[in-house]
Each structure stands twice: as C-alpha cells, then as structure tokens.
C-alpha cells in the first residue's frame, strides 16, 4: 500500500532508525530484518532496498516474505557492481525502506557519491528508512579506530547524520561471544576465520570498539536529555548519572578530597569525576602550583578530568561550573580557618556554597588540616567589599564596645576603657586597613569622651589629665593602626614574592624538563595571571607558534584586554583577559624570558633533528664500506678467476670444465649485480630520491616474476589464494624485488624439506601477503633488528650477503604505502607480513569482505 504524496497531500520528512553495531558480525542486519518483519506483520509497506547477507544463512532466512528490490548494475574499471536502485525506490514510494551499510561509497555513475546521501533523499521524500552502520565508520572516531586496530577506515559517515536519527539502537555483543560466533562460521567463511581472529577481531580490539560504541551512544542520550530540558525550560539537575565535582584550592587537603570524591563516583556505574580549581583574576594566586600539578596527576590517574576556571566570586564560579556539567554532587574540604578567623571574616566558601547549592548535594569533607587556626589572610589586597566592611566595622565596633562597657561603668576605670577601645581599633585595622582604623579611632575617641570621661554625656573635658589621655589614646590608636596596615602590606608583598618565586621556579623546571615545555609554559602563564587565552606569535606575519585557550568566557561587563610582551627578537607573547597591573607586568617579563628559552630549545631540537639524518647517512656509509669490502670482492674475484682461466692459453679445458667455469662466472656476476642493485636502492631510499611508478598490479602475476630471480629456481614455494584478492597499487619492479628478498630470506631459514607458503587476504582497503616458513623463528627482542641494514641474525657466513635484503624490503614497502612486519608462525617458524594498499578500496571484494564493513 503506497502512500499518497501528491502535491496536495500533507508531506512529512521520513523517520530514520539506525542500528549501530559495536563491531562487524554482532547482528545488526539480522535485527534490522527482524524489525522489518514486525512492521510488515502490522500491515506496513516494507521494501528491502539493499541488504548484504555475506552468505550468513540465518540472515538470509530473515528475507523470506519480504519484498526485495532488484539492484541496478553498474560497470566500473571493467568490473560489474550492484548498487541500490534509488530512482525506482523514489518512484515506488514504500512506507519503509531497508538500507544496509550506511557508510558505503557508491560506484561512480549514480546520483550520489555516498549511500547516506541516498538515504537523505529517501527521507526528504517522506519515506521511513531503517539502516545499519558500525561504530568504526563514524567520522569523529576514524582516527581513534585506526590507532586501536591499525586499520584506516576510508568509508565514513558524518556523525550528524546518525545523531539526527529519530531512533538509535545499539547492537552489542561480548568480545568472547563474537569470537565464538566467528569460530562457528556464522560471520565469515572458514578459510577467513583464522586471519580474522588473529588480526582485527582480537579481544583487545573488540573491547575497545565496544567501549567506543557505548560512550558514543551515552553521549547521544545526554544530548537528547539536554535538548529536552532546554525545550521544557527545566533548570534543575536531573540525577540521571552521578557526576561528582571536587573543588581544589592547592592546599594539603587536596589528595584527601580527590580520593573521597573518587570513591563517591565509583559507587554508581558510569559515575564521572571532575576536579576544578577556581583562580582569582586579581594577579598571581596564592595556591601552590606544585601541589596543584600533583593533584591534577592524581585526578587523571583516577580517571577524572581537571579544569581551571577564572572567577572572583569562588562559590558562584564553582556552582556555575557544577551546573554547566550537570554535576549531582559537590565535594569541598572543611575550612582550615580557625574560630577567631571565621568570627572576624564571616562565613567562608563552604558555607556560602552550601547555602546557594539548591539541588546539588554538597559534601563537606573533614581532614587533618581542619581548623588549624589559620589567621585572616593578610597576603591579599583588600577587595571593595572588604573595604566597605572595614568602614562599617569602624562605626559598629566602637559603638558595641560602648554598649558593653556602659554596663560595667562602676567596676571598670578609664584606663581599661581606653585599652579595650584600643583593641577594637586594632581589630578594625586588621579587617579594613588604615582608613577603617582612622574612622574607628575617631569614633572611639568621641564615644570615649562622651560616655566615659567626666563630665559624661558631654563633649567637654573637666581635667587636664583626661585631655592628655584622650590625645594619647588617639595618637596610639592611629600609630598602631598604621603599623598594622603597614605590616599587612608587607605581608602581602612577601606572599606575592613567595608566589612569584614559586611560579618562576616551576617555569624553570618546565624548561629544564625539556619535552613539551612550551605548551606547559603557556598554560602556566594563563592560569597564573588569570587570563582567558595566551598565544605566541611571530613578529613578522603574525603566525601562531603556540596557543593555549582557557575554559569559559570573560565575565559580563568585563571586556577582554590584550597584553603583549616581546619574546626574543622574533616572537611576541599575547595574553587576552584582564588588565595587568605593573607588578604582574614585571613577573610576566620573566615568563617571557622562559618562553624565549623554551622556543630557542625547540628550534635547536629541530636543527638537531635535521642533522641526525646526515649523521645516520655517515654511519650508513661507514658501515657500507666495512661490509662491502668482502662481499663485493668475493663474487668479483670468482668471476675474474673463471674468465681468466678460460682465456689462459696454457690450459686446455674440457667442455664440462668450460661450462662449469662459465656457470661460476655467471652466478658471481648475478650476485654482484643483485648486491649493487640493493646498495643503489638503499642509497636512494636514504636520500629520499626513489622514484615510484605506481600501477594496478595483480599478485598472482608478480609472484612468478619474483620467483624467476631466486638463486634456486626449484625451491619449494607454495602460493595460496593470490588470485582471490584485488589488485594492489604498487611499483611492479619494486614489489618484485621485495617478494624476492623476503622469499629468499624464508628459504634460507626454512626447515629442510618444508615448503615456503605464500598466502594473501583482503581486509577493507589493504591486501596482506604472508610469507610463512617453518624455521627456528625470531625472538621478539630481535624482530626490529632484522630490518636494520647489515644485520644477519644467526648468520656467521659472510658469503650470504651484507644483510640488506629485509632492510631494503621494508623501505621499499613503506615507500609504496605499505608495511613489512614479523609475526610468529603457529606451530613454529616466522611469518613475514607484507601489507599493501588495494588499488580499488571500493571495488570488488572477495567472499567475507565488502564495502562499508570492517576487515575480517
């Protein structure tokens, strides 16, 4: 029953359902067909647009009763291919279309280059589509999968296509279960199973791919949840997954807090651990950079993430960070301030955070440094809020003292009253500085005069001594407050000098440590000065040499400003954020000096790296001269001796002797020619002057030519499956040399009487050729040495050559875009694995592999 989508009908975009596989063979095509049968049974018009069953009988059985659209045939490079008939589908307009392998690359000649583009056309036409794709084919994970499996995936689909799916279902299977399924022949043919299990389908690969799939789908679910909350104006934190944020100050209690937060996160499956350090934007922070670095390392060791956020209001910045990351729990340490300090300075960060946390649970963790009686912080300049508080204290504290002392007027004399007022002025000086102390001393003088100096309740003074006492009180109060404020400032300078010294010490350590010092210096520059971004630019041209961006944006109402500091003669350090005071500019100059040193060291490292190939070439020439002194002389001397004997008029040789001498000369000259060719090719490889002429080449055609060059034309060589793999894109003469060298090496070390096996297989975009011998094998620690020039492991006979064969073979293979590696032969022996690029990655595929599917 086709739907009416004529121009007067209500047109809608089709719905997309994606079955995302964690690995090939987990059953996503089977699940798709099962869903199609269910919809057909409900009366839906279902058509199979394109399905790849790969010979799996259970999957083929699911097609029974479903309408399968005939495929369209296209020719490409003298080969015939089958593709989905998109035009017929758009004309037929079924309700639901099944399209397998979303990431497939179409054969040239169709409407679109990619199958996912075909699917977009079907959706735009109002047709629902059910499709499949494997996690390794998502564009964002392409490089990650290649690092895990060693196999590039050139057939990819943009993540956004899968993210837009109306329904996304993960098809998963445990690695052990998938390997058992393969061993039973339910995924690939029997002849492909061993290669698949030992390569792509290793337990480690499958486990990593499974984790990637689970994390990607979990991220997709998070996106959907955030969109739902945003569309419904839901600001509350939904505790769908535990995310624990631990606040770090750089203090000694940090490791205790991190471990406690990690235990909280581990109590629930999938719990996340985030550590955050709030740095103020008013200059160098008092936190220990060394302690923060150690705490960051601990967080990352426990599987968490570390963040640095700039903010003057620490509780507000901390809660903003927690809500931005949907945190459910917040871990803070109890205050290290003593009771007196808390009384003088009011509620701390922990109390303020708890009051404003709302639906975020806050854990106040006790530690051994709790309440150690730390005095009020004198090492920081007074903030505007603290200055206002000091002025208010200058008015309130003397008034409170007046009320209290009035109750004891009969028992306390004037001297005691003056001393208590003096103490109040000192407390105000500690809190608000000299200005607040001046206000407090003036108010205290007036109150002392009015309430405690006879005649009371009048500003007149009856006795001269009382006048002197009041003047002395005011002078002492002002002097003490001035001294306290001066000590406050000196302490602030000392604290700042300590912070500067520690920061510069850390910088020096970064430079001395060497590797990646420049990024570390830029990150330290950003966090130390509370900036939003730091960049190192060239003076001429403005090219970015290195950059470091922080998290978040500048606070509203605080436009970003740029500070530039010269770095040597060729670069400039640019910091974007707040305006830096003169004191910070001085320290920033020291930062620039360290950055200049790191930049110069990097440049010297580049120069050293450029010199290293020259040194390697010198070592190569030295080794070459030492090695060929015998190996060139031996065949040359044999050839000269044979030819000289034949030309000698004094000796009469029989025809048999003449033939033997000619054969000796010919064999010696062949050895000499092969040795010279190897030396010339190795020299061209070392110099980067090897010219390649890549062409489509069939292995079953190149192998006989390689065997013709072997010293023993009757050597036992057994080729298998060479005709089943697609052609490779190589330089035919160079590949012939590689095969000849590798097979010669296998014959030299093979067990007597055993044939050397040469097999081939095709995996996605590469062709693997294995040369297998049954010799003694190669120890794992020696596998890299066999590819070094002039190495002959186990050989004591110098007549076997200079040891260039495998070294040259690997160099030629890599020059053609392939590789040459050593593997163990099951049952004993050595397998040389030669990997070559397929000429047509999207072309014909043998049984067991197909476009859009991972290698077997």
């Amino acid at each position: 029953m086709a739907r009416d989508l004529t121009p007067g009908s209500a047109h809608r975009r089709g719905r997309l359902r994606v079955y995302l596989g964690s690995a090939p063979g987990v059953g996503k095509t089977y699940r798709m067909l099962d869903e199609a049968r269910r919809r057909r049974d409900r009366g839906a018009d279902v058509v199979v647009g394109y399905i790849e069953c790969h010979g799996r009988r259970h999957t083929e059985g699911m097609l029974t009763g479903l309408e399968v659209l005939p495929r369209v045939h296209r020719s490409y490079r003298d080969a015939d291919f089958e593709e989905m008939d998109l035009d017929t589908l758009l004309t037929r307009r079924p309700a639901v279309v099944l399209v397998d392998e979303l990431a497939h690359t179409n054969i040239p000649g169709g409407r679109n280059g990619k199958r996912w583009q075909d699917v977009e056309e079907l959706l735009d036409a109002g047709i629902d589509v059910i499709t499949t794709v494997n996690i390794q084919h998502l564009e964002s994970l392409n490089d990650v999968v290649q690092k895990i499996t060693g196999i590039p995936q050139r057939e990819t689909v943009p993540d956004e296509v899968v993210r837009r799916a109306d329904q996304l279902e993960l098809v998963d299977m445990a690695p052990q279960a998938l390997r058992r399924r393969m061993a039973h022949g339910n995924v690939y043919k029997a002849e492909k199973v061993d290669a698949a299990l030992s390569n792509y389908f290793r337990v480690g690969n499958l486990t990593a791919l499974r984790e990637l799939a689970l994390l990607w789908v979990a991220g997709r679910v998070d996106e959907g949840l955030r969109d739902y909350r945003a569309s419904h104006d839901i600001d509350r934190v939904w505790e769908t997954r535990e995310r624990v944020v631990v606040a770090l100050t750089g203090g000694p209690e940090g490791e205790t807090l991190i471990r406690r937060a990690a235990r909280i996160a581990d109590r629930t499956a999938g719990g996340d651990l985030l550590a955050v350090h709030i740095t103020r934007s008013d200059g160098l922070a008092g936190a220990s950079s060394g302690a923060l670095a150690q705490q960051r390392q601990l967080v990352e060791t426990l599987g968490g993430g570390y963040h640095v956020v700039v903010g003057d209001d620490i509780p507000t910045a901390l809660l903003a960070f927690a809500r931005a990351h949907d945190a459910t729990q917040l871990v803070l340490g109890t205050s290290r301030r003593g009771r007196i300090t808390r009384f003088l300075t009011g509620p701390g960060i922990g109390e303020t955070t708890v009051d404003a946390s709302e639906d975020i649970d806050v854990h106040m963790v006790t530690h051994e440094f709790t309440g150690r009686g730390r005095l009020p912080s004198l090492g920081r300049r007074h903030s505007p809020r603290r200055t206002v508080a000091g002025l208010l204290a200058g008015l309130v504290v003397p008034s409170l003292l007046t009320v209290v002392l009035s109750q004891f007027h009969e028992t306390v004399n004037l001297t005691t009253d003056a001393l208590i007022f003096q103490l109040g002025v000192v407390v105000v000086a500690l809190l608000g500085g000299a200005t607040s102390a001046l206000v407090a001393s003036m108010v205290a003088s007036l109150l002392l005069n009015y309430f405690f100096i006879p005649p009371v309740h009048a500003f007149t003074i009856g006795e001269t001594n009382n006048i002197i006492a009041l003047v002395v009180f005011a002078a002492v109060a002002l002097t003490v407050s001035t001294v306290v404020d001066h000590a406050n400032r000196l302490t602030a300078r000392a604290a700042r000098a300590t912070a500067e010294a520690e920061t510069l010490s850390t910088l020096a350590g970064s430079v001395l440590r060497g590797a990646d010092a420049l990024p570390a210096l830029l990150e330290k520059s950003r966090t130390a000065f509370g900036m939003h971004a730091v960049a190192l630019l060239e003076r001429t041209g403005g090219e970015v040499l290195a950059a470091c961006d922080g998290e978040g944006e500048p606070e509203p109402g605080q436009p970003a400003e740029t500070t530039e500091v010269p770095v040597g003669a060729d670069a400039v350090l640019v910091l974007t954020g707040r305006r830096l005071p003169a004191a910070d500019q001085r320290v920033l100059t020291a930062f620039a000096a360290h950055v200049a040193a790191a930049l110069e060291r990097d440049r010297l490292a580049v120069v050293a790296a450029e010199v290293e190939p020259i040194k390697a070439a010198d070592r190569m020439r030295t080794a070459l001269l030492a090695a060929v002194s015998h190996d060139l002389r031996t065949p040359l001397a044999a050839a000269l001796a044979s030819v000289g004997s034949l030309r000698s008029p004094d000796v009469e040789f029989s025809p048999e002797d003449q033939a033997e001498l000619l054969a000796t000369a010919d064999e010696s000259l062949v050895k000499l020619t092969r040795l010279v060719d190897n030396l010339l090719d190795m020299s061209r490889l070392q110099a980067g002057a090897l010219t390649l002429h890549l062409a489509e080449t069939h292995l079953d055609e190149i192998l006989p030519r390689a065997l013709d060059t072997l010293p023993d034309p009757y050597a036992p060589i057994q080729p298998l499956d060479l005709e089943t793999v697609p052609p490779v894109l190589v330089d035919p003469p160079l590949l012939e040399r590689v095969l000849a060298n590798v097979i010669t090496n296998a014959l030299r070390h093979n067990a007597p009487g055993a044939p050397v096996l040469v097999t081939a297989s095709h995996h996605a975009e590469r062709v693997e050729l294995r040369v297998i011998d049954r010799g003694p094998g190669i120890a794992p620690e020696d596998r890299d040495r066999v590819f070094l020039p002039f190495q002959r492991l186990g050989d004591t006979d110098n007549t076997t050559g200079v040891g260039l064969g495998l070294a040259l073979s690997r160099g030629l293979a890599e020059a053609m875009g392939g590789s040459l590696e050593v593997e163990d032969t099951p049952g004993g022996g050595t397998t040389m694995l030669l990997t070559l690029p397929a000429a047509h990655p999207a072309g014909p595929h043998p049984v067991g592999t197909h476009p859009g599917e991972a290698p077997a």
Side-chain angles (χ1 to χ4, degrees), residues 73-82 107 696 840 843-845:
H73 292 263
R74 292 194 179 95
S75 297
Y76 180 69
R77 293 187 178 180
D78 300 326
D80 186 64
F81 302 94
E82 294 181 343
I107 298 300
E696 182 178 314
H840 310 301
H845 293 257

Side-chain angles (χ1 to χ4, degrees), residues 398-589:
S399 300
L400 291 177
L401 291 177
T402 300
V403 173
V404 174
L405 292 175
S406 296
Q407 306 300 319
F408 304 95
H409 181 66
E410 302 296 333
T411 58
V412 178
N413 59 23
L414 179 61
T415 303
T416 303
D417 292 335
L419 291 176
I420 293 176
F421 274 105
Q422 184 73 68
L423 177 61
V425 172
V426 172
V427 171
V428 172
L430 287 171
L431 179 62
T435 302
S436 300
L438 177 61
V439 173
S441 63
M442 292 174 62
V443 173
S445 300
L446 293 175
L447 293 175
L448 188 64
N449 180 14
Y450 189 81
F451 288 99
F452 301 101
I453 296 178
V456 297
H457 301 138
F459 287 106
T460 59
I461 301 176
E463 297 182 10
T464 305
N465 289 336
N466 291 337
I467 296 176
I468 296 174
L470 183 60
V471 171
V472 170
F473 165 78
V476 171
L478 290 175
T479 303
V480 170
S481 62
T482 302
V483 171
V484 170
D485 184 68
H486 183 63
N488 189 353
R489 296 179 184 276
L490 290 179
T491 304
R493 294 177 184 175
R496 182 179 182 85
T498 301
E500 293 177 359
E502 185 174 358
T503 301
L504 295 177
S505 175
T506 304
L507 290 178
S510 300
V511 175
L512 293 176
R513 280 191 295 272
D516 297 330
L518 192 55
L521 287 173
L522 295 185
E523 172 64 18
K524 184 62 182 175
S525 302
R526 186 188 68 81
T527 56
F529 295 101
M531 307 301 282
H532 299 290
V534 178
L536 183 64
L537 308 178
E538 281 190 344
R539 281 183 179 273
T540 57
E543 180 182 352
V544 179
L545 302 177
C548 172
D549 294 328
E551 298 185 3
E553 299 293 336
E555 296 182 5
Q558 294 184 359
E561 297 193 17
T562 300
T563 303
E564 297 185 2
V565 179
V567 176
D570 305 322
V572 60
L573 187 65
V574 180
L575 296 89
T576 303
R578 64 187 181 88
R579 180 189 296 273
L580 290 180
D584 284 355
Q585 294 275 5
R586 177 175 54 83
V587 181
L588 184 57
T589 303

Side-chain angles (χ1 to χ4, degrees), residues 13-14 20 60 68 124 212 315 330 352 402 410 486 488 513 538 582 606 770 818 839 843:
R13 178 177 169 85
L20 178 66
E60 291 174 347
V68 180
D124 290 338
L212 281 177
L330 185 58
T352 306
T402 300
E410 302 296 333
H486 183 63
N488 189 353
R513 280 191 295 272
E538 281 190 344
V606 172
R770 286 178 168 82

Side-chain angles (χ1 to χ4, degrees), residues 242-248 257-258 261-262 265 271-277 299 303-307 318 321-322 324-331 551:
E242 293 290 352
R243 288 185 176 89
V244 182
V245 172
V246 53
L248 301 178
L257 301 183
I258 293 170
D272 293 337
L273 173 63
L274 301 174
V276 60
H277 171 67
V299 170
Y306 181 86
H307 304 266
L318 185 58
F321 174 85
H325 290 78
D326 283 333
T328 57
Q329 302 189 57
L330 185 58
V331 176
E551 298 185 3

Side-chain angles (χ1 to χ4, degrees), residues 187-199:
V187 179
Y188 296 114
K189 298 296 184 181
E191 61 270 17
K192 302 294 181 181
V193 171
D194 290 339
L197 291 176
S198 60
N199 289 279

Side-chain angles (χ1 to χ4, degrees), residues 681-717:
D681 285 341
M682 180 59 71
S683 299
R684 285 196 289 267
L685 278 175
Q686 293 288 335
L690 185 67
T691 302
L692 297 177
H693 300 283
L694 301 180
E696 182 178 314
T697 306
H698 292 270
L699 292 180
D700 55 345
E701 296 176 358
I702 204 72
L703 181 62
R705 298 205 297 265
L707 297 180
D708 290 341
T709 64
L710 298 182
D712 182 6
Y714 302 103
I717 308 295

